[in-house]
Amino acid sequence: MDEHDWLARRFEGHRTHLRAVAYRMLGSLSEADDAVQEAWLRLSRSDSGDVDNLGGWLTTVVGRICLDMLRSRKSRPEEPVGAQLPDPIIGREGGIDPEHQALLADSVGLALLVVLDTLDPAERLAFVLHDMFALPFDEIALIVGRSPAATRQLASRARRRLRGSPTVPDADLSRQREVVDAFFAAARGGDFDALVSVLDPDVILRAEGGAAPAGTSRFVRGAAKIASQALMFRAAGEGGELRPALVNGAAGMVVTKDGVPATVFAFTVVGGKIAAIDILADPDRLAALDFEPLG
């Protein structure tokens, strides 16, 4: 085995971890893959013999690449108005693809990624690398170009933003499913009171695609307002089939039409109530996602 093949095999041993880091940083599966590929190119051009801890070195490289990508994303004047929902990871209930499992550790639900996307790029980097992957602040400081104390403050600000948002779902998946099924049963029946009963009073709904302009999200807050839009949920299922699914490891629903995913519903159930609903109905984005068979 020559040196290039040996290095490639060592890199492949870290790929899953690096992809998990990049997904949490970017919320995009395709961009995460691009970041990991760029890390490989940088490794292949470097003198790896001087690297004592290859995993740590690669993690910082991916972090730096993702930070640059986030900063570039923020600076684009042509970006559409409104936040874009992160890429959901869809799987069938009863199990999830092992390749996706590493991406979903630490309860990386869609709602968490949405809130992470509101952070300053440096705050997001500090929180993800330290709180999710236990990278020391001394090493993160080198990436963001700040002192360790200032880097610690970046992560602290990120935690405060997350603390006020429903991002971690209840651990009981079967209970999540009961609540989600009750929501759709009430929506199909147009039962306003039943809808309100399964919604947290401050529930948040974010919808991208469908009736919303392409590339933007529609935002609604409050149980009564969302319950009053029950017809929207009924319309989403017209001409299609509702299929229970795991969306980022939590109970969700996918509407398929002619076997093709048309709408993805992600739910964050907290304390037995739905605290967040994220809906992706953008046909171009759905076509690019890797769906497991849900039948």
Side-chain angles (χ1 to χ4, degrees):
M1 183 185 301
D2 62 26
E3 184 176 349
H4 182 274
D5 290 340
W6 174 79
L7 189 62
R9 290 187 64 174
R10 291 187 68 198
F11 178 82
E12 286 303 316
H14 296 283
R15 180 182 290 276
T16 299
H17 165 77
L18 298 176
R19 194 166 183 248
V21 172
Y23 177 60
R24 287 157 177 74
M25 282 293 299
L26 301 169
S28 165
L29 293 169
S30 61
E31 288 185 349
D33 288 336
D34 290 343
V36 173
Q37 182 61 24
E38 176 62 24
W40 159 245
L41 293 175
R42 295 188 187 187
L43 175 64
S44 63
R45 294 193 297 259
S46 69
D47 185 359
S48 59
D50 295 334
V51 178
D52 294 327
N53 179 0
L54 182 61
W57 186 88
L58 287 170
T59 299
T60 58
V61 168
V62 166
R64 187 171 287 111
I65 292 168
C66 291
L67 182 62
D68 290 342
M69 293 172 75
L70 286 175
R71 286 171 171 167
S72 175
R73 185 191 293 175
K74 294 277 187 183
S75 67
R76 293 177 199 152
E78 71 275 10
E79 282 294 298
V81 177
Q84 185 179 66
L85 290 177
D87 286 343
I89 297 176
I90 316 297
R92 64 184 181 277
E93 290 202 321
I96 192 163
D97 188 291
E99 185 178 343
H100 289 162
Q101 189 62 51
L103 295 177
L104 299 177
D106 306 316
S107 299
V108 186
L110 216 60
L112 173 61
L113 292 173
V114 169
V115 178
L116 288 178
D117 207 37
T118 67
L119 301 177
D120 174 84
E123 292 175 352
R124 185 170 187 168
L125 178 89
F127 176 80
V128 168
L129 292 187
H130 181 268
D131 287 43
M132 292 185 169
F133 293 99
L135 206 67
F137 283 120
D138 288 353
E139 296 182 28
I140 301 171
L142 297 175
I143 303 175
V144 297
R146 306 192 189 191
S147 69
T151 304
R152 188 183 299 273
Q153 286 300 312
L154 290 174
S156 179
R157 287 201 296 270
R159 286 187 214 106
R160 287 197 295 271
R161 293 285 294 275
L162 290 166
R163 199 173 296 132
S165 302
T167 58
V168 181
D170 292 345
D172 189 339
L173 189 57
S174 62
R175 178 56 183 152
Q176 289 183 38
R177 172 53 57 196
E178 290 176 8
V179 174
V180 169
D181 287 348
F183 172 85
F184 277 98
R188 284 194 297 269
D191 189 333
F192 180 86
D193 291 338
L195 278 167
V196 171
S197 71
V198 298
L199 297 172
D200 183 272
D202 293 320
V203 59
I204 297 169
L205 181 146
R206 293 168 288 243
E208 181 182 339
T216 64
S217 294
R218 183 171 55 227
F219 182 90
V220 182
R221 182 188 290 273
K225 290 182 179 179
I226 292 173
S228 68
Q229 296 190 11
L231 288 177
M232 178 179 71
F233 300 99
R234 294 169 66 182
E238 288 180 358
E241 184 175 355
L242 281 172
R243 294 182 178 272
L246 292 179
V247 182
N248 282 58
M253 197 74 76
V254 176
V255 178
T256 61
K257 295 185 178 180
D258 298 324
V260 178
T263 308
V264 173
F265 291 86
F267 294 86
T268 304
V269 178
V270 180
K273 302 281 188 179
I274 296 172
I277 307 172
D278 293 293
I279 305 172
L280 180 60
D282 184 320
D284 293 333
R285 292 195 60 199
L286 290 172
L289 294 179
D290 180 21
F291 281 84
E292 296 180 37
L294 300 176

